[in-house]
Tab-separated table of all heavy atoms in Angstrom:
chain	number	residue	atom	x	y	z
T	1	MET	N	-18.268	-30.747	-21.937
T	1	MET	CA	-19.514	-30.858	-21.214
T	1	MET	C	-20.637	-30.908	-22.186
T	1	MET	O	-21.854	-31.262	-21.829
T	1	MET	CB	-19.726	-29.742	-20.247
T	1	MET	CG	-18.966	-29.893	-18.951
T	1	MET	SD	-19.165	-31.540	-18.248
T	1	MET	CE	-19.624	-31.234	-16.604
T	2	ARG	N	-20.475	-30.510	-23.351
T	2	ARG	CA	-21.623	-30.568	-24.390
T	2	ARG	C	-22.049	-31.986	-24.498
T	2	ARG	O	-23.325	-32.141	-24.811
T	2	ARG	CB	-21.039	-29.911	-25.727
T	2	ARG	CG	-22.083	-29.465	-26.599
T	2	ARG	CD	-22.259	-28.075	-26.451
T	2	ARG	NE	-23.150	-27.421	-27.415
T	2	ARG	CZ	-24.218	-26.780	-27.141
T	2	ARG	NH1	-24.508	-26.411	-25.905
T	2	ARG	NH2	-24.933	-26.323	-28.150
T	3	THR	N	-21.166	-32.934	-24.510
T	3	THR	CA	-21.626	-34.337	-24.792
T	3	THR	C	-22.448	-34.826	-23.657
T	3	THR	O	-23.389	-35.557	-23.884
T	3	THR	CB	-20.390	-35.198	-25.057
T	3	THR	OG1	-19.591	-35.179	-23.878
T	3	THR	CG2	-19.668	-34.842	-26.233
T	4	LEU	N	-22.204	-34.370	-22.402
T	4	LEU	CA	-22.956	-34.873	-21.258
T	4	LEU	C	-24.444	-34.264	-21.343
T	4	LEU	O	-25.343	-34.990	-21.031
T	4	LEU	CB	-22.314	-34.320	-19.987
T	4	LEU	CG	-22.956	-34.880	-18.698
T	4	LEU	CD1	-22.866	-36.476	-18.632
T	4	LEU	CD2	-22.217	-34.265	-17.494
T	5	SER	N	-24.530	-33.009	-21.764
T	5	SER	CA	-25.860	-32.457	-21.792
T	5	SER	C	-26.696	-33.063	-23.000
T	5	SER	O	-27.931	-33.019	-23.132
T	5	SER	CB	-25.881	-30.922	-21.980
T	5	SER	OG	-25.168	-30.608	-23.158
T	6	SER	N	-25.981	-33.638	-23.963
T	6	SER	CA	-26.755	-34.254	-25.048
T	6	SER	C	-27.187	-35.674	-24.793
T	6	SER	O	-27.986	-36.254	-25.607
T	6	SER	CB	-25.914	-34.231	-26.346
T	6	SER	OG	-24.779	-35.052	-26.152
T	7	LEU	N	-26.909	-36.274	-23.676
T	7	LEU	CA	-27.345	-37.578	-23.311
T	7	LEU	C	-28.734	-37.631	-22.909
T	7	LEU	O	-29.309	-36.591	-22.389
T	7	LEU	CB	-26.422	-38.129	-22.213
T	7	LEU	CG	-25.001	-38.446	-22.586
T	7	LEU	CD1	-24.227	-38.860	-21.242
T	7	LEU	CD2	-24.897	-39.517	-23.612
T	8	PRO	N	-29.448	-38.693	-23.062
T	8	PRO	CA	-30.792	-38.828	-22.507
T	8	PRO	C	-30.848	-38.577	-20.957
T	8	PRO	O	-29.883	-38.829	-20.314
T	8	PRO	CB	-31.342	-40.187	-22.894
T	8	PRO	CG	-30.348	-40.610	-23.945
T	8	PRO	CD	-29.024	-39.934	-23.686
T	9	ALA	N	-32.025	-38.162	-20.521
T	9	ALA	CA	-32.152	-37.824	-19.125
T	9	ALA	C	-31.803	-39.022	-18.203
T	9	ALA	O	-31.225	-38.901	-17.189
T	9	ALA	CB	-33.504	-37.287	-18.778
T	10	ALA	N	-32.349	-40.197	-18.526
T	10	ALA	CA	-32.129	-41.413	-17.818
T	10	ALA	C	-30.686	-41.746	-17.632
T	10	ALA	O	-30.136	-42.197	-16.588
T	10	ALA	CB	-32.879	-42.521	-18.378
T	11	VAL	N	-29.886	-41.524	-18.675
T	11	VAL	CA	-28.467	-41.862	-18.620
T	11	VAL	C	-27.722	-40.788	-17.806
T	11	VAL	O	-26.831	-41.090	-17.000
T	11	VAL	CB	-27.857	-41.854	-20.085
T	11	VAL	CG1	-26.316	-42.032	-20.032
T	11	VAL	CG2	-28.477	-42.911	-20.877
T	12	ARG	N	-28.114	-39.567	-17.872
T	12	ARG	CA	-27.532	-38.557	-16.997
T	12	ARG	C	-27.775	-38.753	-15.608
T	12	ARG	O	-26.954	-38.677	-14.713
T	12	ARG	CB	-28.059	-37.143	-17.368
T	12	ARG	CG	-27.357	-36.566	-18.639
T	12	ARG	CD	-27.754	-35.099	-18.837
T	12	ARG	NE	-29.118	-34.714	-18.572
T	12	ARG	CZ	-30.011	-34.446	-19.569
T	12	ARG	NH1	-29.708	-34.574	-20.783
T	12	ARG	NH2	-31.202	-34.122	-19.210
T	13	GLN	N	-28.987	-39.219	-15.289
T	13	GLN	CA	-29.335	-39.493	-13.853
T	13	GLN	C	-28.564	-40.738	-13.321
T	13	GLN	O	-28.039	-40.753	-12.294
T	13	GLN	CB	-30.867	-39.871	-13.765
T	13	GLN	CG	-31.665	-38.682	-13.933
T	13	GLN	CD	-33.237	-39.041	-13.905
T	13	GLN	OE1	-33.581	-40.186	-13.870
T	13	GLN	NE2	-34.082	-37.969	-13.952
T	14	TYR	N	-28.425	-41.722	-14.177
T	14	TYR	CA	-27.646	-42.875	-13.828
T	14	TYR	C	-26.173	-42.432	-13.557
T	14	TYR	O	-25.552	-42.947	-12.579
T	14	TYR	CB	-27.601	-43.927	-14.974
T	14	TYR	CG	-26.724	-45.041	-14.839
T	14	TYR	CD1	-26.881	-46.045	-13.918
T	14	TYR	CD2	-25.440	-45.037	-15.498
T	14	TYR	CE1	-26.039	-47.126	-13.659
T	14	TYR	CE2	-24.482	-46.120	-15.328
T	14	TYR	CZ	-24.799	-47.066	-14.502
T	14	TYR	OH	-23.903	-48.086	-14.285
T	15	LEU	N	-25.619	-41.581	-14.446
T	15	LEU	CA	-24.190	-41.146	-14.269
T	15	LEU	C	-24.071	-40.316	-13.001
T	15	LEU	O	-23.037	-40.512	-12.169
T	15	LEU	CB	-23.746	-40.341	-15.405
T	15	LEU	CG	-23.491	-41.177	-16.709
T	15	LEU	CD1	-23.160	-40.245	-17.926
T	15	LEU	CD2	-22.504	-42.210	-16.560
T	16	VAL	N	-25.004	-39.459	-12.592
T	16	VAL	CA	-25.002	-38.780	-11.377
T	16	VAL	C	-25.010	-39.658	-10.146
T	16	VAL	O	-24.240	-39.528	-9.263
T	16	VAL	CB	-26.150	-37.753	-11.389
T	16	VAL	CG1	-26.340	-37.132	-9.968
T	16	VAL	CG2	-25.905	-36.562	-12.359
T	17	VAL	N	-25.909	-40.563	-10.185
T	17	VAL	CA	-26.134	-41.508	-8.962
T	17	VAL	C	-24.802	-42.354	-8.893
T	17	VAL	O	-24.272	-42.518	-7.785
T	17	VAL	CB	-27.273	-42.366	-9.196
T	17	VAL	CG1	-27.309	-43.517	-8.157
T	17	VAL	CG2	-28.559	-41.556	-9.028
T	18	THR	N	-24.243	-42.855	-9.962
T	18	THR	CA	-23.100	-43.639	-9.980
T	18	THR	C	-21.856	-42.769	-9.516
T	18	THR	O	-20.988	-43.338	-8.713
T	18	THR	CB	-22.744	-44.188	-11.319
T	18	THR	OG1	-23.872	-44.962	-11.741
T	18	THR	CG2	-21.550	-45.120	-11.317
T	19	ALA	N	-21.773	-41.628	-9.887
T	19	ALA	CA	-20.684	-40.822	-9.466
T	19	ALA	C	-20.736	-40.387	-8.019
T	19	ALA	O	-19.755	-40.511	-7.279
T	19	ALA	CB	-20.576	-39.482	-10.327
T	20	ASN	N	-21.925	-40.165	-7.539
T	20	ASN	CA	-22.111	-39.947	-6.079
T	20	ASN	C	-21.827	-41.133	-5.188
T	20	ASN	O	-21.274	-41.022	-4.117
T	20	ASN	CB	-23.613	-39.484	-5.836
T	20	ASN	CG	-23.747	-37.992	-6.252
T	20	ASN	OD1	-22.825	-37.180	-6.224
T	20	ASN	ND2	-24.930	-37.617	-6.696
T	21	TYR	N	-22.294	-42.303	-5.757
T	21	TYR	CA	-21.950	-43.538	-5.013
T	21	TYR	C	-20.461	-43.811	-4.891
T	21	TYR	O	-19.948	-44.135	-3.878
T	21	TYR	CB	-22.645	-44.680	-5.742
T	21	TYR	CG	-22.250	-46.054	-5.195
T	21	TYR	CD1	-22.838	-46.419	-3.986
T	21	TYR	CD2	-21.276	-46.846	-5.764
T	21	TYR	CE1	-22.451	-47.712	-3.404
T	21	TYR	CE2	-20.972	-48.129	-5.218
T	21	TYR	CZ	-21.563	-48.487	-4.054
T	21	TYR	OH	-21.147	-49.738	-3.485
T	22	TRP	N	-19.772	-43.589	-6.010
T	22	TRP	CA	-18.322	-43.785	-5.965
T	22	TRP	C	-17.696	-42.747	-5.063
T	22	TRP	O	-16.663	-43.095	-4.349
T	22	TRP	CB	-17.735	-43.772	-7.406
T	22	TRP	CG	-17.753	-45.029	-8.064
T	22	TRP	CD1	-18.729	-45.449	-8.963
T	22	TRP	CD2	-16.988	-46.172	-7.892
T	22	TRP	NE1	-18.585	-46.816	-9.367
T	22	TRP	CE2	-17.462	-47.272	-8.718
T	22	TRP	CE3	-15.792	-46.450	-7.080
T	22	TRP	CZ2	-16.792	-48.468	-8.803
T	22	TRP	CZ3	-15.285	-47.660	-7.174
T	22	TRP	CH2	-15.768	-48.684	-7.940
T	23	ALA	N	-18.118	-41.566	-5.076
T	23	ALA	CA	-17.521	-40.584	-4.293
T	23	ALA	C	-17.742	-40.772	-2.770
T	23	ALA	O	-16.803	-40.680	-1.982
T	23	ALA	CB	-18.125	-39.146	-4.578
T	24	PHE	N	-18.967	-41.335	-2.508
T	24	PHE	CA	-19.153	-41.714	-0.982
T	24	PHE	C	-18.357	-42.886	-0.648
T	24	PHE	O	-17.811	-42.832	0.405
T	24	PHE	CB	-20.690	-41.987	-0.911
T	24	PHE	CG	-20.971	-42.578	0.512
T	24	PHE	CD1	-20.982	-41.742	1.539
T	24	PHE	CD2	-21.188	-43.914	0.601
T	24	PHE	CE1	-21.233	-42.363	2.879
T	24	PHE	CE2	-21.473	-44.474	1.858
T	24	PHE	CZ	-21.529	-43.690	2.972
T	25	THR	N	-18.281	-43.882	-1.523
T	25	THR	CA	-17.447	-45.034	-1.179
T	25	THR	C	-16.050	-44.708	-0.921
T	25	THR	O	-15.366	-45.137	-0.008
T	25	THR	CB	-17.600	-46.104	-2.397
T	25	THR	OG1	-18.942	-46.416	-2.525
T	25	THR	CG2	-16.840	-47.278	-2.079
T	26	LEU	N	-15.414	-43.900	-1.781
T	26	LEU	CA	-13.968	-43.511	-1.605
T	26	LEU	C	-13.720	-42.795	-0.353
T	26	LEU	O	-12.887	-42.948	0.377
T	26	LEU	CB	-13.519	-42.816	-2.878
T	26	LEU	CG	-13.364	-43.707	-4.063
T	26	LEU	CD1	-12.999	-42.801	-5.276
T	26	LEU	CD2	-12.412	-44.814	-3.929
T	27	THR	N	-14.659	-41.668	-0.123
T	27	THR	CA	-14.445	-40.815	1.127
T	27	THR	C	-14.763	-41.624	2.341
T	27	THR	O	-14.026	-41.451	3.331
T	27	THR	CB	-15.258	-39.618	1.060
T	27	THR	OG1	-16.629	-39.951	0.826
T	27	THR	CG2	-14.858	-38.667	-0.139
T	28	ASP	N	-15.673	-42.560	2.337
T	28	ASP	CA	-15.994	-43.247	3.494
T	28	ASP	C	-14.838	-44.244	3.864
T	28	ASP	O	-14.457	-44.355	5.000
T	28	ASP	CB	-17.388	-44.108	3.214
T	28	ASP	CG	-17.723	-44.898	4.538
T	28	ASP	OD1	-17.854	-44.250	5.550
T	28	ASP	OD2	-17.898	-46.152	4.352
T	29	GLY	N	-14.303	-44.895	2.838
T	29	GLY	CA	-13.111	-45.752	3.072
T	29	GLY	C	-11.960	-45.019	3.569
T	29	GLY	O	-11.240	-45.435	4.440
T	30	ALA	N	-11.717	-43.823	3.125
T	30	ALA	CA	-10.666	-42.932	3.508
T	30	ALA	C	-10.777	-42.515	4.890
T	30	ALA	O	-9.873	-42.558	5.671
T	30	ALA	CB	-10.465	-41.762	2.541
T	31	LEU	N	-12.052	-42.082	5.294
T	31	LEU	CA	-12.145	-41.691	6.675
T	31	LEU	C	-12.043	-42.876	7.651
T	31	LEU	O	-11.504	-42.733	8.710
T	31	LEU	CB	-13.635	-41.155	6.854
T	31	LEU	CG	-13.756	-39.739	6.192
T	31	LEU	CD1	-15.229	-39.341	6.196
T	31	LEU	CD2	-12.904	-38.747	6.935
T	32	ARG	N	-12.526	-44.089	7.205
T	32	ARG	CA	-12.439	-45.241	8.073
T	32	ARG	C	-10.950	-45.564	8.279
T	32	ARG	O	-10.413	-45.911	9.379
T	32	ARG	CB	-13.063	-46.470	7.475
T	32	ARG	CG	-14.560	-46.448	7.679
T	32	ARG	CD	-15.204	-47.605	6.945
T	32	ARG	NE	-16.614	-47.431	6.889
T	32	ARG	CZ	-17.392	-47.985	7.801
T	32	ARG	NH1	-16.969	-48.704	8.832
T	32	ARG	NH2	-18.666	-47.851	7.701
T	33	MET	N	-10.169	-45.536	7.187
T	33	MET	CA	-8.673	-45.708	7.295
T	33	MET	C	-7.984	-44.638	8.220
T	33	MET	O	-7.135	-45.059	9.063
T	33	MET	CB	-8.072	-45.687	5.937
T	33	MET	CG	-6.701	-46.322	5.824
T	33	MET	SD	-6.839	-48.097	6.192
T	33	MET	CE	-5.256	-48.340	6.963
T	34	LEU	N	-8.408	-43.431	8.154
T	34	LEU	CA	-7.761	-42.411	9.067
T	34	LEU	C	-8.200	-42.757	10.458
T	34	LEU	O	-7.283	-42.556	11.458
T	34	LEU	CB	-8.355	-41.020	8.654
T	34	LEU	CG	-7.695	-40.429	7.430
T	34	LEU	CD1	-8.483	-39.182	7.081
T	34	LEU	CD2	-6.261	-40.161	7.505
T	35	VAL	N	-9.403	-43.186	10.794
T	35	VAL	CA	-9.712	-43.592	12.103
T	35	VAL	C	-8.952	-44.768	12.607
T	35	VAL	O	-8.407	-44.722	13.742
T	35	VAL	CB	-11.250	-43.868	12.140
T	35	VAL	CG1	-11.595	-44.497	13.509
T	35	VAL	CG2	-12.072	-42.569	12.023
T	36	VAL	N	-8.830	-45.744	11.789
T	36	VAL	CA	-8.017	-46.923	12.110
T	36	VAL	C	-6.545	-46.530	12.422
T	36	VAL	O	-5.938	-47.058	13.441
T	36	VAL	CB	-8.044	-48.024	11.001
T	36	VAL	CG1	-7.066	-49.092	11.236
T	36	VAL	CG2	-9.447	-48.671	11.068
T	37	LEU	N	-5.987	-45.739	11.581
T	37	LEU	CA	-4.568	-45.411	11.793
T	37	LEU	C	-4.503	-44.438	13.051
T	37	LEU	O	-3.418	-44.534	13.815
T	37	LEU	CB	-4.003	-44.494	10.605
T	37	LEU	CG	-3.917	-45.410	9.384
T	37	LEU	CD1	-3.414	-44.472	8.148
T	37	LEU	CD2	-2.769	-46.380	9.584
T	38	HIS	N	-5.449	-43.668	13.442
T	38	HIS	CA	-5.439	-42.851	14.593
T	38	HIS	C	-5.456	-43.787	15.852
T	38	HIS	O	-4.670	-43.647	16.785
T	38	HIS	CB	-6.577	-41.872	14.569
T	38	HIS	CG	-6.676	-41.190	15.979
T	38	HIS	ND1	-5.825	-40.221	16.400
T	38	HIS	CD2	-7.647	-41.352	16.911
T	38	HIS	CE1	-6.209	-39.865	17.580
T	38	HIS	NE2	-7.367	-40.430	17.942
T	39	PHE	N	-6.328	-44.735	15.831
T	39	PHE	CA	-6.429	-45.616	16.950
T	39	PHE	C	-5.201	-46.475	17.129
T	39	PHE	O	-4.728	-46.872	18.171
T	39	PHE	CB	-7.736	-46.453	16.886
T	39	PHE	CG	-8.988	-45.700	17.389
T	39	PHE	CD1	-10.069	-45.661	16.508
T	39	PHE	CD2	-8.969	-44.995	18.514
T	39	PHE	CE1	-11.225	-44.935	16.938
T	39	PHE	CE2	-10.123	-44.303	18.953
T	39	PHE	CZ	-11.276	-44.272	18.021
T	40	HIS	N	-4.704	-46.880	15.950
T	40	HIS	CA	-3.476	-47.670	15.992
T	40	HIS	C	-2.360	-46.935	16.535
T	40	HIS	O	-1.515	-47.407	17.378
T	40	HIS	CB	-3.061	-48.138	14.595
T	40	HIS	CG	-1.791	-48.835	14.495
T	40	HIS	ND1	-1.627	-50.153	15.056
T	40	HIS	CD2	-0.531	-48.517	14.021
T	40	HIS	CE1	-0.433	-50.533	14.856
T	40	HIS	NE2	0.299	-49.617	14.251
T	41	SER	N	-2.190	-45.554	16.272
T	41	SER	CA	-1.139	-44.689	16.893
T	41	SER	C	-1.368	-44.487	18.366
T	41	SER	O	-0.491	-44.185	19.061
T	41	SER	CB	-1.010	-43.405	16.053
T	41	SER	OG	-2.270	-42.605	16.361
T	42	GLN	N	-2.682	-44.582	18.797
T	42	GLN	CA	-2.953	-44.439	20.214
T	42	GLN	C	-2.608	-45.712	20.993
T	42	GLN	O	-2.774	-45.728	22.323
T	42	GLN	CB	-4.359	-44.108	20.381
T	42	GLN	CG	-4.810	-42.824	19.801
T	42	GLN	CD	-4.194	-41.601	20.524
T	42	GLN	OE1	-4.063	-41.528	21.647
T	42	GLN	NE2	-3.657	-40.705	19.651
T	43	GLY	N	-2.339	-46.769	20.316
T	43	GLY	CA	-1.937	-48.027	20.983
T	43	GLY	C	-2.952	-49.043	21.243
T	43	GLY	O	-2.808	-49.961	22.062
T	44	TYR	N	-3.997	-48.960	20.442
T	44	TYR	CA	-5.132	-50.013	20.652
T	44	TYR	C	-4.685	-51.283	20.131
T	44	TYR	O	-3.821	-51.415	19.148
T	44	TYR	CB	-6.399	-49.554	19.721
T	44	TYR	CG	-7.329	-48.590	20.539
T	44	TYR	CD1	-6.857	-47.295	20.664
T	44	TYR	CD2	-8.459	-48.947	21.059
T	44	TYR	CE1	-7.626	-46.363	21.271
T	44	TYR	CE2	-9.282	-48.039	21.756
T	44	TYR	CZ	-8.881	-46.769	21.845
T	44	TYR	OH	-9.599	-45.825	22.514
T	45	ALA	N	-5.086	-52.318	20.697
T	45	ALA	CA	-4.719	-53.720	20.275
T	45	ALA	C	-5.269	-53.990	18.895
T	45	ALA	O	-6.311	-53.462	18.541
T	45	ALA	CB	-5.112	-54.770	21.323
T	46	ARG	N	-4.716	-54.977	18.186
T	46	ARG	CA	-5.168	-55.315	16.802
T	46	ARG	C	-6.643	-55.858	16.930
T	46	ARG	O	-7.364	-55.551	15.992
T	46	ARG	CB	-4.280	-56.370	16.335
T	46	ARG	CG	-2.910	-55.889	15.910
T	46	ARG	CD	-2.057	-56.954	15.298
T	46	ARG	NE	-0.730	-56.582	15.206
T	46	ARG	CZ	0.320	-57.239	14.841
T	46	ARG	NH1	0.126	-58.512	14.578
T	46	ARG	NH2	1.470	-56.745	14.763
T	47	TRP	N	-6.967	-56.678	17.897
T	47	TRP	CA	-8.353	-57.180	17.917
T	47	TRP	C	-9.282	-56.193	18.343
T	47	TRP	O	-10.503	-56.288	18.024
T	47	TRP	CB	-8.355	-58.327	18.859
T	47	TRP	CG	-8.047	-58.040	20.320
T	47	TRP	CD1	-6.722	-58.037	20.829
T	47	TRP	CD2	-8.958	-57.576	21.262
T	47	TRP	NE1	-6.880	-57.498	22.121
T	47	TRP	CE2	-8.111	-57.276	22.475
T	47	TRP	CE3	-10.254	-57.276	21.349
T	47	TRP	CZ2	-8.746	-56.792	23.606
T	47	TRP	CZ3	-10.876	-56.753	22.484
T	47	TRP	CH2	-10.112	-56.617	23.655
T	48	ARG	N	-8.939	-55.081	18.976
T	48	ARG	CA	-9.872	-54.054	19.423
T	48	ARG	C	-10.371	-53.193	18.274
T	48	ARG	O	-11.443	-52.574	18.289
T	48	ARG	CB	-9.102	-53.220	20.531
T	48	ARG	CG	-10.068	-52.143	21.082
T	48	ARG	CD	-11.099	-52.779	21.966
T	48	ARG	NE	-11.852	-51.813	22.658
T	48	ARG	CZ	-13.213	-51.712	22.583
T	48	ARG	NH1	-13.884	-52.601	21.951
T	48	ARG	NH2	-13.860	-50.736	23.161
T	49	LEU	N	-9.524	-52.862	17.276
T	49	LEU	CA	-9.840	-52.025	16.225
T	49	LEU	C	-11.066	-52.594	15.415
T	49	LEU	O	-12.069	-51.904	15.248
T	49	LEU	CB	-8.699	-51.818	15.207
T	49	LEU	CG	-7.562	-50.932	15.852
T	49	LEU	CD1	-6.353	-50.955	14.985
T	49	LEU	CD2	-8.162	-49.594	16.183
T	50	PRO	N	-11.064	-53.774	14.933
T	50	PRO	CA	-12.217	-54.334	14.207
T	50	PRO	C	-13.452	-54.392	15.049
T	50	PRO	O	-14.557	-54.235	14.604
T	50	PRO	CB	-11.818	-55.591	13.533
T	50	PRO	CG	-10.513	-55.961	14.149
T	50	PRO	CD	-9.981	-54.744	14.862
T	51	HIS	N	-13.176	-54.743	16.339
T	51	HIS	CA	-14.290	-54.836	17.206
T	51	HIS	C	-14.992	-53.602	17.480
T	51	HIS	O	-16.305	-53.515	17.579
T	51	HIS	CB	-13.861	-55.455	18.585
T	51	HIS	CG	-14.923	-55.683	19.611
T	51	HIS	ND1	-15.970	-56.474	19.411
T	51	HIS	CD2	-15.084	-54.886	20.778
T	51	HIS	CE1	-16.806	-56.363	20.496
T	51	HIS	NE2	-16.330	-55.394	21.327
T	52	SER	N	-14.273	-52.456	17.457
T	52	SER	CA	-14.894	-51.226	17.613
T	52	SER	C	-15.718	-50.790	16.343
T	52	SER	O	-16.919	-50.218	16.572
T	52	SER	CB	-13.862	-50.108	17.873
T	52	SER	OG	-13.017	-50.034	16.763
T	53	PHE	N	-15.327	-51.190	15.172
T	53	PHE	CA	-16.171	-50.936	14.046
T	53	PHE	C	-17.427	-51.815	13.958
T	53	PHE	O	-18.419	-51.335	13.630
T	53	PHE	CB	-15.311	-51.243	12.713
T	53	PHE	CG	-14.449	-50.039	12.340
T	53	PHE	CD1	-13.054	-50.131	12.424
T	53	PHE	CD2	-15.082	-48.896	11.939
T	53	PHE	CE1	-12.279	-49.081	12.038
T	53	PHE	CE2	-14.243	-47.744	11.486
T	53	PHE	CZ	-12.901	-47.932	11.685
T	54	CYS	N	-17.231	-53.083	14.418
T	54	CYS	CA	-18.407	-53.896	14.463
T	54	CYS	C	-19.446	-53.431	15.490
T	54	CYS	O	-20.687	-53.465	15.218
T	54	CYS	CB	-18.015	-55.338	14.744
T	54	CYS	SG	-17.064	-56.189	13.498
T	55	SER	N	-19.034	-52.966	16.570
T	55	SER	CA	-19.890	-52.487	17.550
T	55	SER	C	-20.699	-51.302	17.115
T	55	SER	O	-21.979	-51.129	17.349
T	55	SER	CB	-19.240	-52.285	18.945
T	55	SER	OG	-18.267	-51.265	18.753
T	56	THR	N	-19.993	-50.356	16.478
T	56	THR	CA	-20.586	-49.171	15.978
T	56	THR	C	-21.589	-49.496	14.882
T	56	THR	O	-22.662	-48.868	14.797
T	56	THR	CB	-19.678	-48.071	15.490
T	56	THR	OG1	-18.781	-48.726	14.567
T	56	THR	CG2	-18.802	-47.601	16.701
T	57	LYS	N	-21.247	-50.378	14.010
T	57	LYS	CA	-22.175	-50.756	12.953
T	57	LYS	C	-23.426	-51.459	13.430
T	57	LYS	O	-24.468	-51.282	13.062
T	57	LYS	CB	-21.470	-51.768	11.847
T	57	LYS	CG	-20.493	-51.024	10.991
T	57	LYS	CD	-21.437	-50.090	10.065
T	57	LYS	CE	-20.610	-49.502	9.080
T	57	LYS	NZ	-21.353	-48.613	8.209
T	58	SER	N	-23.264	-52.294	14.569
T	58	SER	CA	-24.389	-53.009	15.018
T	58	SER	C	-25.423	-51.997	15.767
T	58	SER	O	-26.567	-52.193	15.877
T	58	SER	CB	-24.020	-54.153	16.029
T	58	SER	OG	-23.318	-53.537	17.101
T	59	LEU	N	-24.852	-51.007	16.303
T	59	LEU	CA	-25.622	-49.911	17.021
T	59	LEU	C	-26.351	-49.130	15.928
T	59	LEU	O	-27.488	-48.812	16.137
T	59	LEU	CB	-24.762	-49.043	17.868
T	59	LEU	CG	-24.189	-49.671	19.062
T	59	LEU	CD1	-23.288	-48.683	19.811
T	59	LEU	CD2	-25.278	-50.131	20.024
T	60	ALA	N	-25.721	-48.949	14.809
T	60	ALA	CA	-26.390	-48.121	13.779
T	60	ALA	C	-27.435	-48.898	13.083
T	60	ALA	O	-28.386	-48.359	12.497
T	60	ALA	CB	-25.315	-47.587	12.730
T	61	TRP	N	-27.328	-50.201	13.085
T	61	TRP	CA	-28.359	-51.078	12.416
T	61	TRP	C	-29.179	-51.760	13.454
T	61	TRP	O	-29.129	-52.871	13.695
T	61	TRP	CB	-27.663	-52.104	11.570
T	61	TRP	CG	-28.629	-52.965	10.732
T	61	TRP	CD1	-29.237	-52.655	9.574
T	61	TRP	CD2	-29.190	-54.191	11.148
T	61	TRP	NE1	-30.069	-53.630	9.201
T	61	TRP	CE2	-30.094	-54.591	10.112
T	61	TRP	CE3	-29.101	-55.074	12.225
T	61	TRP	CZ2	-30.941	-55.751	10.228
T	61	TRP	CZ3	-29.895	-56.200	12.301
T	61	TRP	CH2	-30.682	-56.559	11.276
T	62	SER	N	-30.079	-50.895	14.033
T	62	SER	CA	-30.962	-51.451	15.026
T	62	SER	C	-32.447	-51.552	14.413
T	62	SER	O	-32.883	-50.536	13.951
T	62	SER	CB	-31.072	-50.636	16.213
T	62	SER	OG	-31.383	-49.387	15.977
T	63	PRO	N	-32.957	-52.709	14.204
T	63	PRO	CA	-34.301	-52.905	13.594
T	63	PRO	C	-35.297	-52.131	14.448
T	63	PRO	O	-35.269	-52.154	15.669
T	63	PRO	CB	-34.543	-54.341	13.512
T	63	PRO	CG	-33.543	-55.006	14.435
T	63	PRO	CD	-32.382	-54.049	14.607
T	64	THR	N	-36.273	-51.527	13.816
T	64	THR	CA	-37.286	-50.794	14.547
T	64	THR	C	-38.572	-51.479	14.518
T	64	THR	O	-38.924	-52.235	13.570
T	64	THR	CB	-37.471	-49.423	13.957
T	64	THR	OG1	-37.768	-49.461	12.513
T	64	THR	CG2	-36.315	-48.605	14.164
């Protein structure tokens, strides 16, 4: 950890933001996959699974 503290502040901030972005991306993808697998085990049709994701994304992105 000594080498991380010796880096300039801008580089440390970049690394923190990048690490958080990657952590969010991986966990978000894993959670989505768990949801898809759950609905698949419940017997949802193949076309219904992506449609449910699209509808929730369109509701979350409503312009104000």
